[in-house]
Amino acid sequence: MEPVLAEGLSKQPMDTIAKRIVSMGFNCVRFTWPLYLITNDSLASLTVRQSFQQLGLLESIAGIQANNPSIIDVSLIKAYQAVVSSLGENNVMVILDNHISKPGWCCSNLDDNGFFGDKYFDPDLWITGLTRMATLFNGVTNVVGMSLRNEPRGPKQNINDWYKYMPKGAEAVHSANPNVLVILSGLSFDRDLSFLKNQQLKLTFSGKLVFEAHWYGFSDGQTTWVKDNPNEVCGRVATYMMNTSGYLVDQGYPLFIGEFGIDQSGANVNGNRYISCFLGVAAELDLDWALWTLAGSYYVRDGVVGLNEYYGAMDYNWCGARNSSFIQRISALQSPFRGPGLSEAKPHKVIFHPLTGLCITRKSLVHPLQLGPCSDSYPWSYSPQKTLVVKGTRFCLQTDASGTSLKLGIFCTGSNSKWETISDSKMHLSAKLRDGKSICLDVASDNTIITNGCKCISKDNTCDPSSQWFKLVDSTRSSTRVERSLLQYLPGKGLVPNHLVG
């Protein structure tokens, strides 16, 4: 934004922040930069002190002087390089994201930064800036990608100009730095890449093109998740996402969700309902993503000095996580379920619970099925007969009555062993009891897996179904959970695999 310095450097040393990024499980930073930083020499040559003095941010100057004295009197572009270097020293990758042209808070349809030809978005200057930035970081090994422009938008946006200029930007980056991924955003605040179904990009290079999409709870309307039935909304917006960007995964392209996030104070019901749906889709597609935002607070935003950022992963003073339970919740998605080159185990499924970020497993034979770390998940197979079987065994998931714990059994032909994904969300796992009543997987207060009546199946918008949302996720991660827990003790025989018990 206006100070043109990475946030938080008045609160903590940059090395401390980099180490906290790692401690929270992240391995990459999508590092924003304004076009004018690299194309406007008078701005780029300003020192950090001068930039903050111009804005009257005297308290921030004192904080930077105390926490990061090595950058207080260097140019803004040198300070940017210093942050990238600090991240690299802590094994954190960087994606350079051209977020905006004129420094400031982003984004709106009418901020004159949105699309080619806008007041602050000259295409030729943009190409120059991309070339300079790619050249500057050529050989900096932790810089792994360049996102060419954040959230194209506004009244001037059109497909023809996207196809005219985006390839030019991509080729400019590739020519200046052939080692980085080239990341392209769609239209309508990076929500729409559907036009690629009809016309592919023609580029001189291959194997390093990535597409980027963004998805927030408010992307579908500020109150959509509150005023409509959550199952219906999840089904509708997930379908929209698949039609506008998710389909690229099926076509073999990497898709990067460059922004998602929620108010981590928990105060926004719209966001709270959205996030379980998003995490289910992200797990199912095994997407890479960036959480908006790391920043716990800003030097200045929209004229407010020291504004608290409730979407921030860091707390206000950048001392730790703002919401450690949220960081724990997304931790299962911080490693790929099956990503490129991951083949630790044969393909199987895990049963992922987006509300908690955990998977179905069991501590030992004497314990009930419960939620636990996905790294300890049972490996499941989902048969054409709709049974969920623990791979390597004959044991399938079964239910006997509503409100009771689930069990594993070997007689798997009854309706109580057949699980279907129902509701628009496609995240209710439902079976029928012997009396014909339909029930759904649910979670008790102690994280035990139980069944209950299926929530929010009607048009009701007051209920929250997220405790019953589960996603069958393809995985090739290894797990020793079967070997540890699917054993029984038989007199005279000791511990034997359950699937051998007569």
Side-chain angles (χ1 to χ4, degrees):
M1 294 193 286
E2 287 87 353
V4 199
L5 182 72
E7 304 291 339
L9 298 181
S10 65
K11 305 283 190 182
Q12 300 290 335
M14 65 175 71
D15 184 68
T16 300
I17 295 174
K19 284 179 167 55
R20 289 201 173 119
I21 290 169
V22 175
S23 72
M24 290 191 289
F26 300 105
N27 65 358
C28 186
V29 169
R30 178 176 175 259
F31 192 13
T32 64
W33 59 279
L35 184 61
Y36 292 178
L37 172 63
I38 200 75
T39 59
N40 184 318
D41 292 339
S42 61
L43 177 63
S45 62
L46 275 181
T47 66
V48 171
R49 187 189 303 273
Q50 290 167 340
S51 176
F52 279 72
Q53 284 174 337
Q54 286 184 357
L55 296 165
L57 300 174
L58 303 184
E59 186 177 342
S60 291
I61 291 174
I64 297 167
Q65 179 82 58
N67 288 295
N68 293 284
S70 65
I71 65 165
I72 189 69
D73 289 312
V74 306
S75 67
L76 293 175
I77 190 64
K78 291 287 187 184
Y80 190 96
Q81 290 176 278
V83 173
V84 172
S85 178
S86 177
L87 291 167
E89 288 167 3
N90 287 280
N91 296 315
V92 178
M93 296 177 283
V94 172
I95 290 171
L96 306 176
D97 165 52
N98 177 220
H99 206 70
I100 203 165
S101 296
K102 180 185 177 185
W105 178 248
C106 179
C107 303
S108 80
N109 272 313
L110 301 175
D111 60 9
D112 291 323
N113 273 280
F115 201 71
F116 305 109
D118 278 355
K119 181 178 180 180
Y120 303 119
F121 195 174
D122 175 77
D124 294 332
L125 190 66
W126 175 68
I127 296 291
T128 299
L130 289 175
T131 301
R132 289 180 180 177
M133 206 68 168
T135 301
L136 184 65
F137 288 96
N138 192 355
V140 180
T141 55
N142 69 309
V143 174
V144 297
M146 287 187 64
S147 182
L148 302 194
R149 188 71 177 195
N150 174 69
E151 296 193 352
R153 61 196 178 276
K156 289 187 178 180
Q157 66 177 337
N158 66 87
I159 293 172
N160 289 338
D161 280 346
W162 192 95
Y163 277 104
K164 179 179 180 181
Y165 293 115
M166 280 295 183
K168 290 182 179 180
E171 295 289 1
V173 167
H174 174 66
S175 296
N177 188 342
N179 299 312
V180 293
L181 298 171
V182 177
I183 306 172
L184 302 186
S185 297
L187 300 175
S188 301
F189 292 85
D190 213 352
R191 291 275 286 159
D192 185 8
L193 286 156
S194 61
F195 48 87
L196 289 165
K197 294 176 183 176
N198 301 319
Q199 183 181 349
Q200 293 296 320
L201 279 176
K202 296 179 181 178
L203 299 168
T204 62
F205 60 87
S206 62
K208 49 184 275 185
L209 180 63
V210 179
F211 291 106
E212 178 176 347
H214 293 179
W215 185 6
Y216 291 99
F218 56 75
S219 301
D220 308 294
Q222 295 287 349
T223 61
T224 298
W225 286 91
V226 177
K227 66 183 180 62
D228 294 341
N229 177 273
N231 280 315
E232 292 183 349
V233 177
C234 183
R236 184 167 70 242
V237 300
T239 298
Y240 175 85
M241 182 267 182
M242 290 303 298
N243 287 337
T244 54
S245 60
Y247 75 94
L248 290 163
V249 176
D250 294 332
Q251 294 189 357
Y253 288 103
L255 179 65
F256 171 53
I257 303 297
E259 289 185 24
F260 82 98
I262 58 168
D263 177 346
Q264 293 191 33
S265 72
N268 188 299
V269 176
N270 202 66
N272 294 343
R273 290 185 173 182
Y274 133 85
I275 194 66
S276 288
C277 182
F278 169 82
L279 294 176
V281 174
E284 182 179 36
L285 297 180
D286 200 30
L287 296 174
D288 282 8
W289 44 262
L291 174 70
W292 184 274
T293 175
L294 178 70
S297 56
Y298 300 103
Y299 307 120
V300 61
R301 172 177 151 186
D302 291 333
V304 179
V305 175
L307 187 72
N308 196 354
E309 174 54 273
Y310 292 102
Y311 274 62
M314 300 294 291
D315 61 23
Y316 181 82
N317 288 312
W318 295 67
C319 292
R322 177 177 295 270
N323 184 337
S324 57
S325 65
F326 181 79
I327 300 301
Q328 179 61 40
R329 184 177 176 185
I330 63 174
S331 64
L333 277 67
Q334 287 179 314
S335 299
F337 281 100
R338 60 185 182 278
L342 180 66
S343 55
E344 298 172 355
K346 292 181 179 180
H348 59 274
K349 293 186 183 294
V350 298
I351 307 177
F352 175 65
H353 189 244
L355 179 62
T356 58
L358 301 173
C359 292
I360 293 183
T361 185
R362 186 164 66 171
K363 285 184 179 179
S364 71
L365 184 66
V366 297
H367 289 87
L369 291 164
Q370 62 183 45
L371 293 177
C374 290
S375 57
D376 284 343
S377 171
Y378 276 159
W380 301 87
S381 63
Y382 188 52
S383 75
Q385 291 75 38
K386 300 181 179 178
T387 57
L388 281 163
V389 178
V390 180
K391 290 204 75 168
T393 78
R394 292 161 50 200
F395 278 78
C396 65
L397 193 64
Q398 295 181 340
T399 180
D400 282 335
S402 181
T404 61
S405 298
L406 264 74
K407 66 177 186 178
L408 294 174
I410 58 173
F411 300 107
C412 304
T413 57
S415 63
N416 66 329
S417 301
K418 298 184 184 301
W419 299 91
E420 298 188 60
T421 53
I422 64 166
S423 83
D424 290 352
S425 70
K426 299 292 193 293
M427 284 201 284
H428 279 97
L429 280 170
S430 176
K432 288 186 178 181
L433 301 176
R434 290 180 175 86
D435 62 6
K437 179 184 176 183
S438 293
I439 44 83
C440 283
L441 288 193
D442 207 338
V443 182
S445 58
D446 63 355
N447 273 358
T448 299
I449 306 301
I450 60 175
T451 53
N452 274 317
C454 302
K455 295 179 182 177
C456 313
I457 301 300
S458 68
K459 301 287 186 181
D460 184 10
N461 69 338
T462 62
C463 63
D464 183 356
S466 56
S467 73
Q468 293 188 340
W469 278 356
F470 292 83
K471 180 67 75 169
L472 296 177
V473 177
D474 291 325
S475 177
T476 52
R477 289 185 190 175
S478 63
S479 173
T480 58
R481 178 54 63 190
V482 173
E483 286 77 6
R484 288 203 302 270
S485 66
L486 280 182
L487 297 172
Q488 275 194 13
Y489 181 82
L490 291 184
K493 294 184 179 180
L495 285 172
V496 297
N498 264 339
H499 66 281
L500 298 182
V501 176

